[in-house]
């Protein structure tokens, strides 16, 4: 029985109980294993949205390749963007093991049906924004994604191991840019502070709504897709980042931020959830631009995909003739 047939078999209570016991025993689910249809669809949604975020996430940084201040900065930024493209490829491949079609996933993205991380609907206005994206956005991604290295679906978990290693480099790259600016001329430090002011709150929104407001949290924990709540991960990020901002000599834009000795964590201000949902629903500053640019890139690259498929078919045909 092939992978896709296994994935779409009719759900069965006895089998579902065995499937849950398999997960409870901390065993990975692999593509050839039987799985409930709900689990298959849930994982396709989770993995494809993650892939879309990597795919769209190249756009705000791509605009700065030619404007980066030095050749070293250009090369490093280009390498980072190539990494993000690779992350998307790993994740689309992982979703395909569940029977998903890459063409359909991309069609859902380009039509606006599928979602991606709201953070990528904010503009990168200055070079300091590239530093803030690396420091804050990739830093938040690492906090969120390290736990996914232990997620229950095997291909996803294995992809996350490599992705997290590369994201750690991206975070250090961004922090190094911010360090250079914050310890530079007054104008450079002001630029760094401005970028922090604009990216701080969207970075906190990356972890998603409170779990009590998230319809998928309960099933995600039960299937061990998630290991920590959105609020726990957000708190971990805040605790980690405050000391980094202090090192930079920058001020986090939150008057309510203070250390709580009793909790052993920082208290922080209220997130503007109205803004979060507005951006998620497609009404952020760059939502329309991002999707338009992705659609144009996909359409303009059609000839490359067609040529690659034709070349692969030609190689297969040649190999068949030689074998005969």
């Amino acid at each position: 029985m092939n992978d896709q047939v296994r994935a779409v078999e009719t759900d069965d209570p006895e089998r579902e109980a065995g499937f849950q016991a398999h997960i409870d025993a901390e065993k990975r689910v692999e593509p050839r294993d039987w799985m409930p249809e709900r689990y298959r669809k849930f994982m396709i949604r989770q993995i494809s949205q993650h892939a879309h975020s990597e795919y769209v996430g190249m756009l705000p940084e791509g605009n700065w390749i030619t404007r980066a201040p030095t050749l070293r900065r250009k090369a490093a930024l280009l390498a980072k963007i190539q990494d993000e493209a690779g992350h998307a490829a790993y994740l689309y491949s992982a979703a395909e093991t569940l029977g998903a079609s890459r063409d359909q996933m991309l069609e859902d993205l380009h039509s606006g049906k599928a979602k991606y991380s709201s953070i990528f609907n904010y503009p990168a206005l200055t070079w300091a924004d590239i530093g803030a994206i690396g420091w804050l956005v990739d830093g938040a991604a690492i906090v969120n994604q390290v736990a996914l290295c232990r997620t229950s679906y095997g291909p996803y978990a294995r992809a996350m191991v490599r992705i997290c290693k590369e994201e750690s480099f991206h975070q250090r790259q961004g922090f190094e840019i911010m360090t250079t600016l914050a310890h530079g001329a007054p104008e450079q430090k002001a630029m760094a502070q401005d970028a922090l002011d604009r990216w701080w709150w969207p970075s906190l929104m990356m972890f998603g709504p409170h779990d009590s407001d998230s319809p998928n949290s309960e099933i995600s924990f039960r299937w061990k897709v998630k290991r920590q709540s959105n609020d726990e991960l957000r708190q971990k990020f805040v605790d980690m980042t405050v000391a980094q901002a202090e090192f930079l000599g920058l001020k986090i834009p939150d008057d309510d931020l203070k250390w709580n000795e009793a909790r052993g964590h920082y208290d922080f201000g209220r997130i503007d959830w109205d803004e979060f949902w507005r951006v998620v629903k497609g009404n952020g500053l760059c939502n329309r631009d991002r999707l338009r640019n992705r659609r144009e890139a996909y359409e303009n690259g059609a000839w490359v995909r067609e040529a690659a498929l034709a070349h692969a078919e030609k190689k297969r045909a040649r190999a068949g003739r030689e074998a005969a």
Side-chain angles (χ1 to χ4, degrees):
M1 188 178 295
N2 64 38
D3 297 352
Q4 189 170 350
V5 173
R6 283 183 178 273
V8 299
E9 284 178 337
T10 302
D11 293 344
D12 178 272
E14 186 174 339
R15 273 187 149 179
E16 285 204 29
F19 176 80
Q20 187 62 52
H22 181 87
I23 289 177
D24 291 341
E26 297 291 342
K27 295 179 180 179
R28 292 266 174 84
V29 178
E30 299 297 343
R32 290 183 177 274
D33 295 340
W34 182 89
M35 64 190 73
E37 177 69 359
R38 291 178 301 149
Y39 179 86
R40 186 186 76 89
K41 289 182 177 179
F42 186 91
M43 292 311 306
I44 289 174
R45 175 182 173 275
Q46 164 102 7
I47 299 171
S48 64
Q49 286 190 3
H50 191 166
H52 297 332
S53 298
E54 300 282 358
Y55 185 55
V56 175
M58 295 184 285
L59 293 173
E61 295 174 311
N63 286 330
W64 280 93
I65 293 174
T66 59
R67 294 185 286 168
T70 67
L71 180 59
R72 172 177 171 268
R73 297 294 192 194
K74 287 178 172 63
L77 182 58
L78 182 59
K80 178 186 178 184
I81 293 168
Q82 289 174 321
D83 284 348
E84 307 293 4
H87 298 174
Y90 307 152
L91 293 166
Y92 284 131
S93 294
E96 286 175 321
T97 67
L98 289 158
S101 158
R102 188 171 307 202
D103 288 340
Q104 185 62 54
M105 287 186 282
L106 290 171
E107 182 178 327
D108 289 344
L109 171 66
H110 297 155
S111 69
K113 178 181 177 181
K115 303 298 182 186
Y116 55 89
S117 179
S118 62
I119 193 73
F120 299 117
N121 290 312
Y122 291 85
L125 302 177
T126 71
W127 172 247
D129 287 39
I130 302 304
I133 290 171
W135 172 35
L136 300 175
V137 176
D138 292 319
I142 292 166
V143 171
N144 192 42
Q145 293 172 9
V146 163
L148 291 174
C149 295
R150 296 172 54 234
T151 197
S152 60
Y153 188 59
Y156 190 26
R158 290 188 287 274
M160 291 314 306
V161 172
R162 178 167 180 173
I163 289 173
C164 285
K165 289 179 179 178
E166 293 177 350
E167 292 290 3
S168 295
F169 169 77
H170 300 166
Q171 193 271 347
R172 291 194 296 272
Q173 177 185 343
F175 190 71
E176 196 262 344
I177 292 172
M178 294 297 280
T179 301
T180 301
L181 293 173
H183 296 157
E187 294 83 0
Q188 290 176 305
K189 184 172 183 178
M191 184 189 296
Q193 181 64 61
D194 173 66
L196 172 56
D197 291 346
R198 287 182 288 105
W199 287 93
W200 174 252
W201 292 106
S203 295
L204 296 192
M205 295 175 195
M206 280 181 67
F207 296 96
H210 299 303
D211 285 279
S212 58
D213 299 325
S214 175
N216 298 310
S217 286
E218 187 276 331
I219 194 70
S220 186
F221 277 110
R222 177 150 59 89
W223 283 333
K224 298 189 185 298
V225 178
K226 287 177 63 171
R227 300 287 182 150
Q228 290 179 281
S229 73
N230 295 345
D231 290 325
E232 288 172 332
L233 293 169
R234 189 169 14 248
Q235 182 70 68
K236 183 176 181 180
F237 173 72
V238 171
D239 292 346
M240 175 185 77
T241 309
V242 170
Q244 296 170 355
E246 290 174 350
F247 173 82
L248 294 172
L250 302 177
K251 183 181 185 301
I252 289 178
D254 181 358
D255 293 335
D256 295 324
L257 183 71
K258 63 179 182 298
W259 178 254
N260 186 318
E261 193 66 41
R263 293 200 312 121
H265 296 286
Y266 281 95
D267 293 334
F268 54 94
R270 182 185 178 279
I271 294 170
D272 185 349
W273 292 114
D274 290 338
E275 177 183 337
F276 171 79
W277 290 114
R278 186 166 62 250
V279 176
V280 167
K281 292 175 182 178
N283 297 311
L285 292 171
C286 298
N287 290 66
R288 292 171 182 81
D289 289 341
R290 298 290 186 245
L291 286 181
R292 184 184 67 249
N293 290 338
R294 284 286 62 164
R295 284 194 296 267
E296 289 177 356
Y298 185 78
E299 292 165 1
N300 291 338
W303 70 272
V304 179
R305 296 190 298 276
E306 291 167 4
L309 290 171
H311 179 65
E313 181 58 36
K314 191 174 182 179
K315 286 182 66 177
R316 280 194 295 271
R318 184 185 300 121
R321 290 194 300 270
E322 291 174 353

